[in-house]
């Protein structure tokens, strides 16, 4: 991959960015900030970003078949 260009698509300023998850239904990328609990969303088609702070520490997330997602928080599932 010599000469491959890398560019930042979302300057999230995450402390510990983890768990990138591509959502084929929405064609967007989700990821987490473990240390500053939040879910981030990046839409490459529109160049839009989003951030949703979580009420407690977040460990992981998963997409739901019916749409939406589930996140595992220290305080429970949301």
């Amino acid at each position: 991959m010599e000469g491959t260009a890398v560019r930042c698509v979302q300057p999230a300023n995450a402390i510990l960015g983890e768990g990138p998850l591509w959502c084929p239904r929405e064609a967007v990328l989700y990821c987490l900030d473990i240390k500053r609990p939040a879910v981030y969303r990046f839409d490459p088609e529109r160049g839009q970003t989003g951030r949703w702070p979580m009420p407690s520490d977040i460990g992981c997330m998963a997409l739901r078949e019916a749409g939406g997602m589930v996140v595992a928080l220290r305080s429970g599932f949301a």
Side-chain angles (χ1 to χ4, degrees):
M1 298 193 82
E2 189 175 320
T4 301
V6 176
R7 68 182 179 92
C8 180
V9 295
Q10 182 180 17
N13 296 319
I15 295 173
L16 180 57
E18 295 254 347
L21 178 63
W22 179 255
C23 176
R25 180 182 300 202
E26 298 176 68
V28 300
L29 180 68
Y30 288 97
C31 63
L32 305 175
D33 186 345
I34 302 298
K35 295 291 188 177
R36 185 184 306 133
V39 174
Y40 290 88
R41 179 180 184 270
F42 174 66
D43 181 336
E45 181 70 25
R46 296 181 180 92
Q48 294 176 332
T49 61
R51 179 179 181 273
W52 293 269
M54 295 291 117
S56 64
D57 292 343
I58 187 168
C60 63
M61 65 182 160
L63 298 175
R64 296 180 47 214
E65 190 172 310
M69 73 173 54
V70 175
V71 294
L73 303 171
R74 183 176 298 277
S75 58
F77 290 98

